Amino acid sequence: MAIGEYKPGLEGVPATQSNISYVDGKAGLLEYRGIRIEELCVHSSFLETSYLLIFGELPTSAKLKEFEVDITHRRRIKYRIRDMIKSFPDNAHPMDALQTSVAALGMFYPLGDFHDADYIYQATVRLLAKVPTMVAAFHMMRQGNDPVMPRDDLDYASNFLYMLNEKVPDPLAARIFDVCLTLHAEHTVNASTFAALVTASTLTDPYAVITSAIGTLAGPLHGGANEQVMMMLEEIGSVDNVTAYLERKIERKEKLMGFGHRIYKVKDPRAIVLQELVHKMFDQFGHDHYYDIALELEKQAFEKLSSKGIHPNVDFYSGLVYKKLGIPSNLFTTIFAIARVPGWLAHWKEQLSDNRLFRPTQVYTGLHDVTYLPIEHR
Ligand code: SDX
């Protein structure tokens, strides 16, 4: 392997062939199974989009109904997993709690036959159904409360918001949240999806695959950025402080959270839709001055950073929607995880259909034939 072929971070290196989603970083375009994300946000739902991503086609109304009912009936978690979550420290990060909880699923649902379509379907439904329940259960229990039982009469988005505070959400708020989930559902071979692919290629169980992906998503350079953006806007505090803050970040060569992307060299199309959702939220539920700070920051960052292809990404505006929904910022990345489960599962299924173990090579830069030095001579 010549050193010239080595690409740090595998930048620009195809790691798989896939027909699940497509990103055009120059045009700022994202398609799920060929359908533009903007179309799905207007006409589809998160579960219908999940079905499209995982099974490769839009479902008939009967198939969608069956999928929704199967997921609704699998929302509950085993009491042993609930009791395990109860033992977590109250100040644990919700992403650590979620990763641990999903890993535990593998102990209750034994590895099956990957050639059995029903095994794939059951694992898919189970993960889509239980991940929101786990996030909400930890959130309630870290406050010393019993978890809220899922409600079968509520749709996917409404039920998750309900489990966070036992209040049935406003239908518009639930619809906006559902669109946020669709926006975050899939994004080709990003870091957490790549982690899922590598884990899947060893033929381990799907819970281990999703556990790998959750751990990867948690990082601040990836899904963890949405929580960092909220902390950044709070730190800036007012529109007047934006100039000084931005100058300081650039001076210190520190990355601006919620900006930049390995693929997008224009504004992330998801950020554009999320901004529209922010306006809808504010029209209905009142303004939030953090949005003014975000707009000013985007304006000034454009002047200073757009020449390097650095623009807002999906994480820049998402937190403003979640905050307006009353969701604490340290749950933001777990919401990204809930949303990305269908994307990860779609790639898991695709990898299994033509599997080859991921085992790349390296460019060795170390020594050879080194003599072992006894400890007394070191
Ligand atoms: C997600 O891959 C995906 O698809 C991910 C995702 C998905 O849906 O799965 O889209 C979700 O993770 C969005 C990204 C969320 N992360 C952040 O917002 C964290 C801040 N962003 C950066 O860390 C960064 O932009 C990355 C990690 C997202 C991408 O970085 P790259 O491709 O590795 O780019 P780089 O670090 O090589 O930077 C290239 C140049 C550098 O300048 P020079 O040293 O060449 O002068 O751009 C600069 C960087 O300093 N740069 C930034 C910047 N991002 C890149 N400068 C200031 N602020 C930034 N945010």
Side-chain angles (χ1 to χ4, degrees):
M1 159 66 78
I3 194 155
E5 294 171 70
Y6 163 56
K7 294 284 179 288
L10 293 181
E11 179 156 10
V13 176
T16 187
Q17 290 188 133
S18 176
N19 57 23
I20 299 169
S21 67
Y22 172 71
V23 172
D24 179 331
K26 291 193 180 61
L29 180 151
L30 170 57
E31 294 169 335
Y32 291 170
R33 299 286 184 186
I35 304 174
R36 288 288 297 266
I37 185 74
E38 294 83 355
E39 286 288 294
L40 291 165
C41 287
V42 172
H43 301 298
S44 188
S45 67
F46 174 63
L47 286 187
E48 183 183 75
T49 297
S50 298
Y51 189 101
L52 168 71
L53 289 167
I54 295 163
F55 301 104
E57 60 187 13
L58 285 169
T60 60
S61 56
K63 276 265 174 240
L64 178 58
K65 189 75 195 133
E66 181 189 9
F67 189 57
E68 289 169 341
V69 168
D70 286 344
I71 288 166
T72 298
H73 291 164
R74 310 292 280 272
R75 288 170 174 169
R76 285 151 188 76
I77 56 178
K78 298 278 185 191
Y79 79 83
R80 284 191 171 91
I81 294 182
R82 193 195 59 223
D83 290 354
M84 176 188 75
I85 297 172
K86 205 176 277 181
S87 70
F88 294 164
D90 295 348
N91 63 348
H93 194 285
M95 281 295 275
D96 293 327
L98 178 60
Q99 188 179 24
T100 310
S101 308
V102 172
L105 285 177
M107 296 183 234
F108 293 87
Y109 304 104
L111 187 58
D113 173 5
F114 291 133
H115 300 292
D116 174 1
D118 187 56
Y119 169 73
I120 301 280
Y121 179 81
Q122 296 306 331
T124 294
V125 160
R126 204 173 275 133
L127 280 156
L128 283 166
K130 296 183 190 308
V131 165
T133 307
M134 290 170 164
V135 170
F138 175 65
H139 177 58
M140 291 303 281
M141 291 198 269
R142 68 174 173 173
Q143 301 168 81
N145 303 320
D146 274 328
V148 174
M149 289 301 282
R151 269 182 49 175
D152 293 0
D153 61 324
L154 296 178
D155 63 48
Y156 194 89
S158 303
N159 177 61
F160 173 68
L161 296 174
Y162 168 75
M163 291 192 294
L164 286 185
N165 57 22
E166 214 160 2
K167 293 191 188 79
V168 177
D170 174 284
L172 175 68
R175 172 63 193 150
I176 287 174
F177 184 70
D178 192 83
V179 173
C180 287
L181 295 177
T182 297
L183 280 168
H184 287 80
E186 158 64 10
H187 210 250
T188 74
V189 193
N190 56 83
S192 54
T193 298
F194 184 54
L197 285 176
V198 173
T199 309
S201 75
T202 70
L203 301 185
T204 185
D205 69 78
Y207 313 104
V209 170
I210 302 301
T211 299
S212 295
I214 293 170
T216 309
L217 184 72
L221 293 190
H222 190 13
N226 57 13
E227 180 181 345
Q228 301 288 326
V229 167
M230 208 63 238
M231 288 158 70
M232 170 177 70
L233 297 176
E234 284 159 0
E235 185 189 339
I236 294 172
S238 86
V239 169
D240 300 340
N241 298 340
V242 166
T243 307
Y245 180 88
L246 185 55
E247 278 168 3
R248 206 168 47 247
K249 291 297 268 189
I250 292 174
E251 214 174 280
R252 294 176 184 167
K253 281 195 160 305
E254 288 172 2
K255 300 258 171 85
L256 215 47
M257 292 294 112
F259 282 81
H261 200 279
R262 179 63 59 79
I263 313 290
Y264 290 122
K265 298 310 167 194
V266 292
K267 189 167 178 178
D268 188 323
R270 299 168 295 178
I272 295 171
V273 178
L274 280 161
Q275 225 172 330
E276 291 158 10
L277 296 178
V278 168
H279 285 289
K280 281 199 182 122
M281 289 295 288
F282 290 171
D283 291 350
Q284 179 85 5
F285 306 111
H287 192 69
D288 185 326
H289 81 288
Y290 288 116
Y291 183 56
D292 303 321
I293 299 170
L295 281 181
E296 182 60 24
L297 181 58
E298 178 180 0
K299 182 167 149 288
Q300 293 192 28
F302 182 84
E303 290 151 21
K304 299 237 174 22
L305 298 170
S306 61
S307 57
K308 290 167 82 171
I310 297 160
H311 298 271
N313 60 48
V314 67
D315 290 307
F316 188 56
Y317 285 108
S318 55
L320 287 164
V321 178
Y322 304 152
K323 184 176 183 307
K324 205 70 206 169
L325 290 169
I327 297 169
S329 54
N330 68 13
L331 285 186
F332 289 178
T333 311
T334 58
I335 291 171
F336 196 152
I338 290 169
R340 188 53 57 91
V341 168
W344 293 329
L345 288 170
H347 284 276
W348 167 61
K349 196 163 171 288
E350 189 175 64
Q351 178 67 28
L352 290 179
S353 67
D354 181 17
N355 187 46
R356 181 154 174 71
L357 178 71
F358 274 90
R359 201 304 184 193
T361 182
Q362 64 171 15
V363 174
Y364 180 61
T365 58
L367 302 174
H368 291 289
D369 304 327
V370 176
T371 307
Y372 178 80
L373 200 60
I375 195 159
E376 56 273 16
H377 296 310
R378 289 175 203 162

